């Protein structure tokens, strides 16, 4: 079996697979279009042989056509963040040695110079589609299928490579655990360069034969109108989305709030993940909608690993138990497995769901595994049969609104500013974003800097959600005897 074995897509029935605004597309429509696209990509070759094909396409029929088309033609799909800054794209495209970029006409102008410089062919989905589908290769499930860029404790994001088998394992465990069926209808408004949107929503939906409603962004009025109309029975989001919905309730009248909450109440499932769901938020959501949020834990490198039960107690502040097919073990600082409850340790994961490698980075791949276990860097504790996430082993990783950000990457960009002599980027607790980015800055002699001008300077150099939400100017950064900035001390000081 391969990723192309999405059974409902292959069967190509007349049920609605995707809804995009006023347009609906059946499984048959989508399936035929994917085959025509895959044939066009091949340009007469038998197999793309893991050619890296990047795409810069918001949630749409074109996105699905491209992702599955690349898979069916034997390429590696590299979906990119449509909100990326050019400097970030340069890194992704160079790192992955991308040869072709698929982008809608509206994005092509902004990408042309970069693609020309990197010798990348820039085309649209329509340019690739051919009239008649031809024969497509058989794909071994062990082959590479997708590369997603993830920030970590290095200053440049790494390409996480999954195989067809990895992706299938990540999808099928969730289909069973969360009881997906073809009667499900789900809105998709999360970005499609991360697994939450790609695997948990889009791929599970299409694998199950469900209907996925596509939104280019989290458009609260349009989405809540559909919720009132009873369109959806499943809702998956990051905690910030639930916070933003509750904030929205303060801006509309009580009867409208009640209609939205009734819409949520009628659903079979509301899920929260990608960042910690505060107990306060869990309780607020229950009070407002009657829904008991199902919180789960995952990571780009593993898909989903741990989940509260679909049937059974969903515990506030906890992420639940290992998903079927996923092995989870906590390890202490001496790499010894922890078998007792209440002792915190690093979450390590084994299973078919675990990624293959960081692209072109054997060193990072080797360092992230110990005895065959993938080391997540997240610290958890087992309490009464439920895992609870306690934090991360690195202060250099920030989770803001579900996005994983590298403090080192942001510092690297800020250091190029003329006024900045040294900088430490930290995550500070924030009710909306979970953590928000703060830059603590020491200036060069005689230099001045205000927040607005720095924000403007950052524009185009990094994705907007990475730009610090606040700055703090201090005389010098606190450092330990080794000369390293002591971020925990800095956080405490602030
Ligand atoms: C937007 N902004 C953010 C931000 N998102 N700032 C910090 N952190 C974020 N996450 C800023 C923008 O830069 C902009 O700033 C302003 O907020 C408004 O932007 P917007 O795009 O209109 O915001 P909104 O649509 O409300 O976006 C919020 C959001 C989005 C929550 C919908 O952040 C989002 O989609 N997050 C989910 C990311 C995700 O899918 N993570 C999963 C990774 S996979 P300004 O100053 O320009 O106005 C993973 C594994 C797992 O984690 O377990 O799932
Ligand atoms: P990413 O690398 O973007 O896939 O983000 C994965 C990280 O998100 C994990 O390593 C965790 O730190 C965090 N994460 C995901 N789900 C949860 C959760 N339910 N609670 C706390 N942290 C989470």
């Amino acid at each position: 079996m391969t990723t192309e074995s999405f059974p409902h897509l292959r069967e190509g029935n007349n049920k609605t697979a995707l809804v995009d605004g006023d347009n609906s597309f059946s499984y048959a429509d989508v399936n035929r279009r994917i085959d025509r696209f895959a044939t066009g990509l091949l340009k007469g070759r038998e197999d793309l042989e893991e050619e890296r094909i990047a795409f810069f396409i918001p949630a749409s029929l074109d996105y699905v056509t491209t992702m599955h088309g690349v898979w069916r033609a034997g390429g590696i799909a590299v979906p990119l963040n449509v909100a990326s800054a050019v400097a970030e794209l340069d890194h992704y495209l160079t790192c992955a040695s991308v040869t072709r970029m698929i982008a809608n006409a509206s994005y092509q102008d902004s990408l042309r110079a970069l693609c020309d410089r990197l010798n990348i062919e820039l085309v649209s989905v329509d340019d690739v589609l051919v009239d008649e589908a031809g024969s497509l290769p058989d794909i071994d499930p062990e082959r590479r299928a997708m590369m997603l860029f993830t920030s970590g404790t290095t200053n440049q994001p790494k390409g996480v490579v999954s195989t067809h088998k990895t992706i299938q394992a990540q999808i099928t465990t969730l289909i069973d655990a969360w009881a997906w069926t073809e009667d499900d209808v789900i809105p998709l408004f999360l970005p499609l360069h991360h697994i939450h949107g790609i695997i948990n929503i889009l791929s599970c939906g299409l694998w199950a034969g469900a209907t996925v409603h596509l939104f280019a962004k989290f458009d609260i009025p349009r989405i809540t109108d559909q919720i009132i109309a009873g369109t959806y029975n499943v809702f998956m989001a990051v905690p910030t989305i639930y916070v933003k919905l509750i904030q929205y309730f303060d801006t509309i009248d009580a009867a409208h709030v009640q209609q939205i909450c009734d819409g949520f109440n009628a659903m079979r499932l509301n899920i929260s993940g990608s960042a910690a769901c505060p107990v306060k938020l869990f309780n607020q959501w229950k009070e407002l909608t009657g829904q008991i949020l199902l919180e789960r834990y995952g990571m780009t490198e593993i898909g989903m690993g741990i989940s509260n039960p679909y049937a059974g107690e969903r515990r506030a502040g906890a992420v639940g138990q290992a998903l079927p097919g996923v092995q989870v073990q906590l390890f202490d600082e001496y790499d010894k497995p922890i078998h007792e409850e209440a002792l915190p340790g690093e979450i390590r994961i084994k299973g078919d769901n675990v990624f293959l490698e960081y692209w072109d980075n054997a060193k990072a791949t080797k360092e992230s595994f110990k005895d065959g276990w993938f080391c997540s860097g997240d610290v958890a504790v087992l309490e009464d049969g439920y895992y609870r996430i306690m934090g991360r082993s690195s202060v250099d990783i920030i989770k803001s609104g579900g996005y994983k950000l590298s403090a080192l990457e942001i510092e690297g960009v800020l250091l190029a500013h003329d006024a900045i002599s040294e900088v430490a980027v930290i995550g500070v607790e924030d009710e909306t974003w979970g953590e928000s980015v703060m830059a603590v800055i020491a200036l060069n002699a005689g230099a001045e800097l205000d927040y607005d001008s720095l924000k403007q300077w950052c524009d185009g150099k990094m994705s907007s959600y990475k730009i610090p939400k606040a700055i703090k100017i201090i005389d010098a950064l606190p450092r330990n005897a080794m000369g390293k900035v002591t971020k925990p001390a800095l956080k405490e000081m602030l």
Side-chain angles (χ1 to χ4, degrees):
M1 285 243 285
T2 70
T3 307
E4 66 172 347
S5 65
F6 281 72
H8 292 262
L9 261 184
R10 301 305 296 179
E11 185 188 304
N13 58 36
N14 284 324
K15 188 166 176 286
T16 301
L18 302 171
V19 176
D20 186 358
D22 293 333
N23 301 314
S24 303
F25 306 98
S26 70
Y27 276 88
D29 297 336
V30 180
N31 187 42
R32 274 194 298 268
R33 199 161 187 265
I34 294 169
D35 276 346
R36 287 170 48 219
F37 183 81
T39 307
L41 273 183
L42 284 166
K43 289 187 189 169
R45 284 158 62 189
E46 275 181 17
D47 190 317
L48 292 182
E49 305 283 0
E50 301 191 352
E51 178 183 342
R52 272 79 62 209
I53 309 242
F55 43 110
F56 200 78
I57 309 178
S60 58
L61 174 65
D62 277 354
Y63 179 99
V64 175
T65 304
T66 305
M67 175 72 95
H68 285 262
V70 173
W71 283 343
R72 287 189 192 176
I76 300 181
V78 188
L80 297 172
N81 176 7
V82 290
S84 296
V86 171
E88 294 165 326
L89 284 177
D90 194 333
H91 168 69
Y92 303 148
L93 298 171
T94 310
C95 170
S97 302
V98 165
T99 45
R100 273 189 273 179
M101 162 88 98
I102 319 291
N104 297 350
S106 58
Y107 287 113
Q108 290 199 2
D109 281 349
S110 61
L111 297 170
R112 174 112 18 231
L114 179 65
C115 289
D116 284 351
R117 179 160 59 76
L118 299 177
N119 209 11
I120 292 171
E121 187 189 354
L122 176 61
V123 287
S124 69
V125 171
D126 284 341
D127 294 333
V128 175
L129 279 168
V130 292
D131 292 340
E132 289 295 326
S135 67
L136 298 172
D138 279 335
I139 311 288
D140 183 327
E142 306 282 349
R143 278 176 53 172
R144 296 170 182 82
M146 183 164 72
M147 192 185 320
L148 300 178
F149 280 87
T150 189
S151 299
T153 50
T154 52
N155 59 357
Q156 291 279 36
K158 295 177 292 217
V160 175
V161 178
S162 310
T163 63
H164 291 264
K165 187 172 162 188
T166 316
I167 293 169
Q168 180 173 330
Q170 293 180 353
I171 296 169
T172 50
T173 190
L174 297 185
I175 299 266
D176 293 342
W178 297 343
W180 276 93
T181 76
E182 53 187 276
D183 295 329
D184 288 329
V185 185
I186 188 167
L188 168 55
F189 42 78
L190 293 177
L192 281 176
H193 61 289
H194 282 308
I195 53 160
H196 196 155
I198 297 173
I199 300 290
N200 298 21
I201 302 176
L202 183 60
S203 300
C204 282
L206 293 181
W207 192 289
T211 300
V212 182
H213 283 227
L214 305 168
F215 294 88
K217 70 184 303 273
F218 180 53
D219 181 340
I220 298 191
R222 271 182 68 210
I223 292 167
T224 49
D225 279 354
Q226 293 295 319
I227 288 167
I228 292 171
T231 305
Y232 311 126
N233 66 340
V234 184
F235 190 86
M236 295 187 194
V238 298
T240 298
I241 298 274
Y242 293 102
V243 173
K244 287 191 171 237
L245 281 165
I246 294 171
Q247 289 168 348
Y248 177 66
F249 294 164
D250 286 337
T251 68
I252 55 177
D253 65 62
H256 193 182
V257 172
Q258 194 55 52
Q259 286 178 310
I260 299 171
C261 291
D262 290 346
F264 275 106
N265 179 268
M267 294 188 195
R268 73 169 182 87
L269 181 61
N270 285 184
I271 296 185
S272 173
S274 301
C277 176
V279 172
K280 181 179 159 201
L281 179 61
F282 177 99
N283 289 332
Q284 267 179 314
W285 197 249
K286 184 171 161 195
E287 203 149 293
L288 282 163
T289 66
Q291 281 286 345
I292 301 176
L293 284 173
L294 183 156
E295 185 174 3
R296 75 347 174 246
Y297 162 87
M299 196 172 182
T300 306
E301 288 87 337
I302 65 157
M304 296 302 108
I306 307 175
S307 172
N308 271 284
Y310 181 67
E313 184 200 353
R314 296 177 197 165
R315 199 176 290 173
V319 290
Q321 291 99 22
L323 281 158
V326 181
Q327 289 182 65
V328 177
Q329 176 65 57
L330 301 183
F331 283 83
D332 70 14
E333 70 226 80
Y334 307 106
D335 293 325
K336 295 261 172 318
I338 296 171
H339 294 296
E340 302 97 288
E341 290 215 338
L343 288 178
E346 185 189 27
I347 301 177
R348 296 190 187 168
I349 305 276
K350 259 187 198 175
D352 286 346
N353 57 305
V354 176
F355 77 125
L356 178 69
E357 61 186 359
Y358 294 113
W359 179 258
D360 199 22
N361 197 339
K363 182 168 175 279
T365 307
K366 188 159 181 270
E367 284 169 2
S368 67
F369 286 88
K370 279 189 181 157
D371 293 330
W373 292 92
F374 170 69
C375 305
S376 70
D378 291 307
V379 177
V381 63
L382 191 60
E383 288 171 343
D384 202 12
Y386 283 64
Y387 287 100
R388 182 164 64 80
I389 310 290
M390 301 181 70
R392 282 180 296 273
S393 49
S394 170
V395 284
D396 288 322
I397 291 174
I398 300 166
K399 261 272 159 164
S400 169
Y403 281 120
K404 186 184 200 181
L405 311 179
S406 160
L408 302 185
E409 184 189 343
I410 301 171
E411 287 164 10
V413 176
L414 295 180
L415 273 174
H417 192 288
D418 283 347
I420 296 177
S421 140
E422 41 176 14
V423 57
V425 165
I426 54 174
V428 293
E429 226 175 277
D430 185 278
E431 204 154 303
T432 302
W433 302 111
E435 286 180 296
S436 88
V437 176
M438 177 187 269
V440 186
I441 295 170
L443 295 174
N444 284 316
E448 287 183 6
L449 185 68
D450 63 72
Y451 176 72
D452 290 341
S453 71
L454 181 68
K455 184 168 188 274
Q456 214 173 347
W457 180 87
C458 288
D459 198 23
K461 296 188 174 68
M462 59 177 99
S463 300
S464 70
Y465 54 80
K466 297 180 185 172
I467 298 175
K469 293 267 188 276
I471 60 171
K472 176 98 186 153
I473 311 277
I474 60 174
D475 290 339
L477 296 179
R479 291 183 185 272
N480 63 17
M482 314 285 287
K484 200 171 170 341
V485 176
T486 45
K487 288 193 178 176
L490 198 56
K491 276 186 157 189
E492 216 154 283
M493 189 177 111
L494 293 165

